[in-house]
Amino acid sequence: MDVVSQLQRQFLDFTTSLYREGFLDDQFVQLQKLQDESNPEFVIEVVSLFFEDSEKLLNNLSTALQQHIVDYKQVDALVHQFKGSSSSIGAQRVKNVCVSFRNYCEEKNVEGCFRCLQQVKHEYHLVKSRLDALFKLEQQILAAGGSVPMIA
Amino acid sequence: MARDGVFSRWRRTEKFEGMSGLSPSDCHDVHVLAVDDSLVDRKVIERLLKITSCKVTAVDSGRRALQFLGLDEEKSPVGFDGLKVDLIITDYCMPGMTGYELLKKIKGSSTFREVPVVIMSSENVLARIDSCLEEGAEDFIVKPVKLSDVKRLKDYMFGEDPIQGEGKGVNKRKLREACEISSSPSSSPPSISSSSPLSSQSLSSSPSPRSSSPSSPSSLDSPTRRLKMTNCDT
């Protein structure tokens, strides 16, 4: 198997596992549909925006939960944002934690909120490292002169 | 944003029609004002609209949307270059002015009340949907927004042209008749198939059922059906 085929195989296997393990859902497939020759970097661009946005949200969440008197409305608003953006790019596991997180906000359960914050940070970093790896594989395929296989 | 009048744009896109490989559901010259406080969502909606051949202006708040339309009471209309807005699509949950409040302001304006407004929301709440539709929203899309949502919207909204521009209306109808495959037929009144330029008259007399009846019975694509088909993750 030549280099390109190997890389393509790797890419396909990796992508499949991301969907299977629930890191990504159908919305990520939807984003791929929006990428074409006129906009070849679209997915990376959106995901990069998501990363930037997420770092800020996570910082703000940490700060908000460390307040002496927690403003649950504010925390909820931040989690709502995070839920929205993760949903928009198909980061399913992050989104799911956000759903639980919002429930704890409603209950004003500070411990529950803290646990969710840890969880959402964890899930975010997991998906981030996987997406970084995915994009790297894409670059390697392109650099080797191949094309990136599409998953329907 | 092009400053061409409607007529010259119409001719130019007619010329490109065969060359650009646009799908039949594409309509040209539709200018959409997209409102969303989320940067990620703005980028996605912008791309979704552009890929369906709409011109897009994306703003991050209801306030900026009103400014763009020249409806902000605190500022005099500035730089509104006469490029008309054919559709406003807005997020519901936004800090400051919600999409619902923006909807009310638009429907309260004599200049813009005829412009269709579509609400997007990640929350699948029936009461919210009902109140938006009652306030005159054309449709309600549950996020995350997909390409099929935008295509569906364009098909039933701009397949005919109930709002303005007889020239545009004729062109779009002819395109649809020539290329029509499967977009929702229920939204086009029978009189259109005779394709007389004057049938923009009949369009304005056949009111869109969607804004008054949330459970629009006709098609699979009605807002409430779409909602039922969405996964319930909230």
Side-chain angles (χ1 to χ4, degrees):
Chain A
M1 238 193 193
D2 63 295
V3 172
V4 169
S5 304
Q6 272 180 344
L7 287 169
Q8 286 172 329
R9 171 90 267 145
Q10 235 184 304
F11 177 84
L12 280 170
D13 289 344
F14 189 49
T15 308
T16 312
S17 74
L18 292 180
Y19 288 104
R20 194 181 56 236
E21 290 164 24
F23 286 104
L24 298 176
D25 64 24
D26 179 67
Q27 187 61 16
F28 194 76
V29 177
Q30 294 294 319
L31 290 188
Q32 314 276 21
K33 290 184 181 176
L34 304 181
Q35 183 162 289
D36 60 21
E37 311 79 47
S38 71
N39 238 273
E41 304 274 287
F42 176 72
V43 179
I44 288 189
E45 285 169 9
V46 181
V47 173
S48 303
L49 281 177
F50 169 69
F51 289 161
E52 278 173 41
D53 203 41
S54 302
E55 315 273 341
K56 286 182 207 161
L57 282 169
L58 286 170
N59 284 337
N60 292 339
L61 275 167
S62 296
T63 308
L65 282 173
Q66 276 158 28
Q67 297 308 304
H68 187 54
I69 299 180
V70 174
D71 180 350
Y72 287 102
K73 269 185 90 173
Q74 190 201 10
V75 176
D76 184 70
L78 290 165
V79 179
H80 173 81
Q81 273 186 60
F82 204 6
K83 176 173 159 264
S85 57
S86 57
S87 161
S88 292
I89 67 142
Q92 187 178 251
R93 282 161 64 148
V94 173
K95 181 195 71 177
N96 290 342
V97 178
C98 289
V99 174
S100 310
F101 203 155
R102 291 193 79 192
N103 290 334
Y104 285 118
C105 286
E106 211 177 304
E107 293 168 17
K108 298 193 183 355
N109 181 332
V110 73
E111 276 157 25
C113 284
F114 263 111
R115 274 201 310 274
C116 278
L117 178 60
Q118 297 321 309
Q119 238 186 310
V120 84
K121 274 184 182 167
H122 179 66
E123 288 298 340
Y124 167 71
H125 285 115
L126 286 179
V127 78
K128 180 174 190 306
S129 63
R130 277 153 179 75
L131 286 170
D132 283 336
L134 190 70
F135 294 141
K136 194 159 173 211
L137 259 176
E138 280 187 1
Q139 296 310 312
Q140 284 177 308
I141 294 172
L142 294 170
S147 59
V148 180
M150 285 286 281
I151 298 225
Chain B
M1 286 186 277
R3 290 168 179 270
D4 300 314
V6 170
F7 190 69
S8 59
R9 276 201 301 249
W10 173 37
R11 276 193 305 183
R12 192 175 69 234
T13 41
E14 254 194 335
K15 214 183 347 167
F16 286 129
E17 184 31 40
M19 291 156 55
S20 59
L22 297 173
S23 76
S25 64
D26 289 344
C27 288
H28 24 259
D29 305 332
V30 175
H31 178 209
V32 184
L33 176 63
V35 191
D36 200 317
D37 61 312
S38 158
L39 187 49
V40 171
D41 288 355
R42 263 200 316 282
K43 182 149 177 98
V44 174
I45 193 73
E46 196 170 6
R47 182 70 189 139
L48 282 169
L49 290 165
K50 282 186 175 160
I51 215 173
T52 39
S53 306
C54 295
K55 289 187 166 31
V56 189
T57 302
V59 298
D60 65 2
S61 70
R63 197 40 162 318
R64 288 216 213 280
L66 292 176
Q67 282 171 16
F68 179 79
L69 297 170
L71 290 179
D72 187 353
E73 290 121 13
E74 289 175 33
K75 289 191 176 181
S76 54
V78 159
F80 180 53
D81 61 3
L83 185 72
K84 60 178 162 13
V85 172
D86 299 303
L87 170 67
I88 298 166
I89 184 163
T90 177
D91 190 24
Y92 185 95
C93 284
M94 295 188 290
M97 187 186 299
T98 66
Y100 180 70
E101 285 157 358
L102 177 61
L103 168 67
K104 285 204 288 190
K105 288 236 153 72
I106 291 163
K107 292 301 167 186
S109 142
S110 47
T111 335
F112 292 104
R113 71 161 66 101
E114 295 302 312
V115 179
V117 181
V118 172
I119 310 282
M120 304 178 281
S121 176
S122 55
E123 322 270 278
N124 193 348
V125 176
L126 211 49
R128 175 180 294 186
I129 297 156
D130 278 349
S131 57
C132 287
L133 293 174
E134 268 163 44
E135 205 55 49
E138 197 69 28
D139 202 346
F140 190 102
I141 298 180
V142 179
K143 284 179 157 184
V145 186
K146 302 179 185 344
L147 193 53
S148 54
D149 295 325
V150 177
K151 283 186 168 168
R152 171 181 70 87
L153 215 60
K154 286 206 69 180
D155 279 352
Y156 83 71
M157 276 189 194
F158 301 102
E160 11 0 291
D161 190 31
I163 292 100
Q164 48 213 314
E166 288 107 290
K168 282 174 72 167
V170 170
N171 191 42
K172 288 192 181 88
R173 272 199 301 285
K174 281 185 174 166
L175 268 180
R176 275 188 81 218
E177 284 147 35
C179 317
E180 192 66 75
I181 300 169
S182 60
S183 30
S184 63
S186 52
S187 51
S188 49
S191 55
I192 286 191
S193 53
S194 52
S195 115
S196 131
L198 295 173
S199 38
S200 57
Q201 258 180 302
S202 59
L203 283 170
S204 55
S205 61
S206 48
S208 158
R210 289 176 197 279
S211 46
S212 45
S213 51
S215 39
S216 163
S218 44
S219 77
L220 282 170
D221 302 319
S222 75
T224 45
R225 272 299 278 271
R226 156 80 174 107
L227 293 164
K228 282 172 198 154
M229 291 192 266
T230 307
N231 59 320
C232 307
D233 58 344
T234 43

